[in-house]
């Protein structure tokens, strides 16, 4: 079993970016340009590594390898994005890896591209990349090629060596459990569970009861063996259930207008553990968007647009407008889910003016995370 934190350190220690790994300060999958860049690197790394894994490390400064971190990224539908644009798409996995010196809301992203013998190419164009484009890695660059791709197996021995040096140990597991329980979340009643005498999951959150259910907010859940976060949220609430073979997380999204908020089940994520040291994550979307009065939504939507215009002009907001601003990301999301097609893009475009408002910006990131998850589910 590979310790992903150790793997990232070993990748960063191996010279610079190469034909089997890339590094990024952050990913931007909200724009066509950002998606195109990401897909280009996936295509190139896959074609240049037909017999070994290749990697993208996210949250690292390009010049000096400083580990600065990035937001927790919900990867559950990102494979759909790759499948939508690439012919012969490789299987990819995005994992969120915590590092001790990072704030608790920041992680390093690790994209693993599984080996595939067939050549990947763009089956449709995106941004400036035309359909039928093929990319390979030449040193640290993803470059276009024409014609047949010559298979390259020179990285196999190096990558396998790096992965073998990143294997987990009992000490790494114990250190991870102690750090989670006694230091990072000691004020949040942290818990742990061992599955199949091998896997350890730790979780923590603020518990609150509603009727016969116990919800957790400010939730952090980690699979300690591999040093990956399974779930993180500063706002949303979840329920957790488990038995001897599985661990299930149901995420709820708070939605409401005029200070009336209800919790709607969004997604069920179940980690199933097997005797042979293997685990599998199954995800199922549960969300059914609530319907609101369209006339009222028109009024709220227009008020939000006027609010954003005032912010763009640098005008001061009244107390009532500041309250409306707190709810703006959630209300834009409600509008989008009720047929206001422009609401999602309006929210994305508002990033710069919302960033100075810490709590509002946190809500903005949560709203986009949820909308991205819904989009990938139907793509």
């Amino acid at each position: 079993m590979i310790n992903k934190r150790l793997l990232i350190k070993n990748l960063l220690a191996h010279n610079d970016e190469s034909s089997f790994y890339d590094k990024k300060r952050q990913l931007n999958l909200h724009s066509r340009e950002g998606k195109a860049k990401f897909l280009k690197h996936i295509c190139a790394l896959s074609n240049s590594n037909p017999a070994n894994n290749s990697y993208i490390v996210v949250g690292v400064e390009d010049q000096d390898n400083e580990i600065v971190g990035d937001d927790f990224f919900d990867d559950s539908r990102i494979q759909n994005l790759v499948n939508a644009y690439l012919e012969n798409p490789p299987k990819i996995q995005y994992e969120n890896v915590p590092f001790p010196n990072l704030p608790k809301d920041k992680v390093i992203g690790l994209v693993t591209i599984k080996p595939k013998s067939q050549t990947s190419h763009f089956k449709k164009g995106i941004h400036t990349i035309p359909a039928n484009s093929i990319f390979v890695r030449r040193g640290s660059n993803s470059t276009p090629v024409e014609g047949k791709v010559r298979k390259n197996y020179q990285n196999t021995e190096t990558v396998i060596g790096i992965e073998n040096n990143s294997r987990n140990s009992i000490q790494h597991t114990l250190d991870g459990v102690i750090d989670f329980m006694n230091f990072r979340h000691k004020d949040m009643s942290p818990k742990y569970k061992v599955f199949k005498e091998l896997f350890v999951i730790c979780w923590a959150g603020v518990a609150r009861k509603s009727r016969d259910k116990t919800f957790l907010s400010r939730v952090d859940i980690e699979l300690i063996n591999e040093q990956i976060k399974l779930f993180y949220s500063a706002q949303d609430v979840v329920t957790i259930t488990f038995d001897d073979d599985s661990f299930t997380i149901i995420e709820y999204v708070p939605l409401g207008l005029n200070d009336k908020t209800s919790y709607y089940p969004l997604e069920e994520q179940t980690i199933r553990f097997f005797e042979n040291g293997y685990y599998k994550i199954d995800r199922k979307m549960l969300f059914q968007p609530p319907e609101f009065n369209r006339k009222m939504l028109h009024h709220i939507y227009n008020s939000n647009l006027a609010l954003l215009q005032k912010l763009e002009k640098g005008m001061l907001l009244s107390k009532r407008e500041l309250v409306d601003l707190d709810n703006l990301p959630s209300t834009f999301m409600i509008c989008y889910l009720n047929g206001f097609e422009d609401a999602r893009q309006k929210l994305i475009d508002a990033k710069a003016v919302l960033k100075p408002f810490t709590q509002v910006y946190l809500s903005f990131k949560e709203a986009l995370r949820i909308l991205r998850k819904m989009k990938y589910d139907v793509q």
Side-chain angles (χ1 to χ4, degrees), residues 304-305 307-309 311-312 325 328-329 332 342-357 360-361 364 368:
N304 281 343
L305 293 178
L307 199 58
L308 290 177
Q309 286 180 346
L311 288 176
E312 289 167 356
L325 183 65
L328 184 144
F332 261 134
D342 293 339
R344 180 177 179 273
Q345 191 58 48
K346 293 290 186 184
L347 181 59
I348 292 172
D349 294 341
K351 178 179 179 179
V353 295
L354 297 181
K355 200 166 187 177
F357 302 89
V360 179
Y361 188 62
F364 161 84
L368 288 188

Side-chain angles (χ1 to χ4, degrees), residues 258-315:
N258 300 325
D259 300 323
K260 294 180 180 178
T261 299
S262 297
Y263 291 95
Y264 298 86
L266 177 65
E267 183 185 47
E268 179 182 271
Q269 182 179 172
T270 299
I271 304 99
R272 304 185 191 281
F273 300 96
F274 302 92
E275 297 287 355
N276 60 357
Y278 172 74
Y279 70 90
K280 181 183 178 183
I281 299 179
D282 296 318
R283 295 180 173 92
K284 179 170 65 174
M285 285 295 290
L286 306 174
F287 187 67
Q288 295 294 328
E291 294 184 6
F292 292 88
N293 180 279
R294 195 161 182 84
K295 185 176 180 181
M296 179 174 62
L297 286 180
H298 266 293
H299 172 71
I300 291 173
Y301 185 58
N302 289 330
S303 296
N304 281 343
L305 293 178
L307 199 58
L308 290 177
Q309 286 180 346
K310 290 189 72 171
L311 288 176
E312 289 167 356
K313 294 176 181 178
M315 300 170 65

